[in-house]
Amino acid sequence: MTIYDELVARGLIAQVTDENEIKELINNGKAVFYIGFDPTADSLHVGHFMALCLMKRLQMAGNKPIALIGGGTAMIGDPSGRTDMRQMMTEETIAHNCECFKHQMSRFIDFSEGKAVMINNADWLLGLNYIEVLREVGSCFSVNNMLRAECYKQRMEKGLSFLEFNYMIMQSYDFYHLYKTMGCNMQFGGDDQWSNMLGGTELIRRKLGKDAYAMTINLLLNSEGKKMGKTQSGAVWLDPEKTSPYDFYQYWRNVADSDVLKCIRMLTFLPLEEIDAMDKWEGAQLNRAKEILAYELTKLVHGEEEARKAEASAKALFGAGAEAQIPQTELTAADFTDGVIDIGSVLVKAGLVPSKSEARRAIEQGGVSVDNEKITDVRATFTADEVNGKVFRRGKKNFRKIVVQ
């Protein structure tokens, strides 16, 4: 099976511009491709995960990835899938986020000996002359076609700013620049980026008379809405300081039965033959499939040792009998007022709920316990001695051991 056929079999490809040419490039290790990552936070999250896995797969097949950090496009903000304009970030914040991305991407992509390149589009976008862009690039774009683009539809309902309207042109210019300077012949992205990607291929063909190609990933974490990548306590980050290896494991352990095999195909590097054998699994066997998914992805992001720890903790707490390595939250004297801390503050600090109002609702619905004793008083408070060493739980599978320093 060729690498392109494997991508199709794994359900990764949504649409391509020129399939035969793309097959030829990818299967023969001749693709120099880029995927863009806008640094809107100081950590990558699971919404980026499939793109990183795809880059890894293609690099293993001899193709060269370009990881494009959008330090320049982040100054504008991608309107795709948005009903409001993104918050403007300072240059300092963007630069900090870019550095964080570089560190995390190195876990997936081999940047040694020219095997891959990481580059920031601020290096060329911030120095562009506006009039030159209008003359050189703007003349290649039809406003009528841009207004029909999927990426603008939701923003059109509430008002699309001229700032955001330029995002497609800037992303297209990225591909144009990378083609001219680095021989980049292919652009990859999520299926919500299709209009932007077509803009880049068209720009290259019109300005340079050369062929360039675009392929969108059938992003599970994107095209099925934003439901995945979120938990009750916030986003699922790849940074272990933001989402612990245990929480990362549990997130994948708790995917819906209908999604588990799809996730295994798209995101793990298990052989397709092994995955196909799971197609007939049902009932309790699907729980085993979820454990496989959670372990494989935690190993990929956090390493094998952390994956084993997370698996052992989960099995201990849910019936496998091993010594639990329960994730912990540390409290200090500053967290206590007059010697006590309220239940809502504990749950928020532990990351079990995003807010005190959500904590109240969880308690009223009977979903909060401390050392397996249900909490019914939304005003409950604890001293340092009363909370130290206790396991706070929301629902059946979300919990934290509190440690007072």
Side-chain angles (χ1 to χ4, degrees), residues 265-378:
R265 277 197 176 85
M266 289 182 168
L267 299 175
T268 76
F269 287 78
L270 296 175
L272 280 170
E273 296 81 4
E274 184 178 336
I275 300 171
D276 290 341
M278 301 179 189
D279 276 338
K280 296 180 181 179
W281 287 12
E282 55 186 22
Q285 289 178 308
L286 287 178
N287 288 329
R288 176 56 188 151
K290 293 177 185 181
E291 291 172 353
I292 292 171
L293 171 68
Y295 180 84
E296 290 295 325
L297 299 191
T298 306
K299 180 175 69 172
L300 184 61
V301 174
H302 297 294
E304 192 164 5
E305 181 179 356
E306 291 297 337
R308 285 199 300 265
K309 288 180 182 178
E311 183 179 57
S313 294
K315 287 183 176 180
L317 287 162
F318 304 119
E323 178 67 22
Q325 300 169 20
I326 302 174
Q328 296 183 352
T329 293
E330 294 184 356
L331 300 181
T332 66
D335 295 311
F336 293 81
T337 301
D338 296 329
V340 298
I341 185 171
D342 62 89
I343 181 65
S345 296
V346 176
L347 295 175
V348 171
K349 283 280 185 180
L352 296 175
V353 294
S355 64
K356 285 191 175 183
S357 60
E358 184 63 27
R360 173 184 289 271
R361 282 193 290 273
I363 293 168
E364 290 174 343
Q365 293 167 4
V368 175
S369 64
V370 179
D371 279 1
N372 293 323
E373 292 187 11
K374 186 174 294 186
I375 297 294
T376 58
D377 184 0
V378 296

Side-chain angles (χ1 to χ4, degrees), residues 34-38 66-70 117 119-121 124 174 178:
Y34 95 87
I35 299 181
F37 301 83
D38 274 354
I66 298 174
L68 179 66
I69 309 296
V117 177
I119 195 166
N120 188 333
N121 65 10
W124 58 86
D174 283 343
L178 292 173

Side-chain angles (χ1 to χ4, degrees), residues 88-219:
M88 299 289 283
M89 296 185 294
T90 66
E91 291 188 33
E92 293 76 17
T93 298
I94 292 171
H96 170 71
N97 293 351
C98 288
E99 286 302 313
C100 294
F101 276 27
K102 289 179 182 179
H103 175 72
Q104 292 174 1
M105 284 182 181
S106 296
R107 290 193 63 91
F108 296 84
I109 312 301
D110 181 2
F111 291 99
S112 67
E113 302 174 357
K115 294 177 182 177
V117 177
M118 186 177 295
I119 195 166
N120 188 333
N121 65 10
D123 295 343
W124 58 86
L125 290 182
L126 298 189
L128 290 176
N129 178 282
Y130 184 60
I131 298 299
E132 290 179 2
V133 172
L134 288 178
R135 288 177 60 87
E136 182 179 5
V137 181
S139 59
C140 297
F141 286 81
S142 162
V143 171
N144 289 349
N145 289 340
M146 292 175 72
L147 290 174
R148 286 194 290 268
E150 189 68 30
C151 61
Y152 291 138
K153 282 186 177 178
Q154 284 185 282
R155 293 293 293 117
M156 289 289 287
E157 294 176 6
K158 290 192 174 182
L160 176 71
S161 72
F162 183 71
L163 176 72
E164 297 169 288
F165 190 59
N166 282 272
Y167 189 90
M168 181 187 292
I169 295 176
M170 294 297 96
Q171 182 171 330
S172 299
Y173 190 89
D174 283 343
F175 196 7
Y176 176 63
H177 177 85
L178 292 173
Y179 187 99
K180 291 196 302 180
T181 61
M182 303 184 69
C184 179
N185 52 29
M186 196 176 303
Q187 180 181 186
F188 285 43
D191 56 4
D192 62 338
Q193 294 292 313
W194 186 237
S195 299
N196 293 337
M197 294 166 67
L198 289 179
T201 59
E202 181 64 18
L203 179 61
I204 290 170
R205 293 176 181 184
R206 291 188 62 176
K207 295 295 294 183
L208 303 177
K210 303 288 186 179
D211 285 331
Y213 310 103
M215 183 172 89
T216 64
I217 315 165
N218 188 20
L219 274 180

Side-chain angles (χ1 to χ4, degrees), residues 390-404:
K390 296 293 192 299
V391 176
F392 283 69
R393 188 186 300 255
R394 179 188 176 180
K396 294 181 178 180
K397 300 180 180 181
N398 301 283
F399 50 86
R400 279 292 188 284
K401 183 176 182 180
I402 303 300
V403 177
V404 180

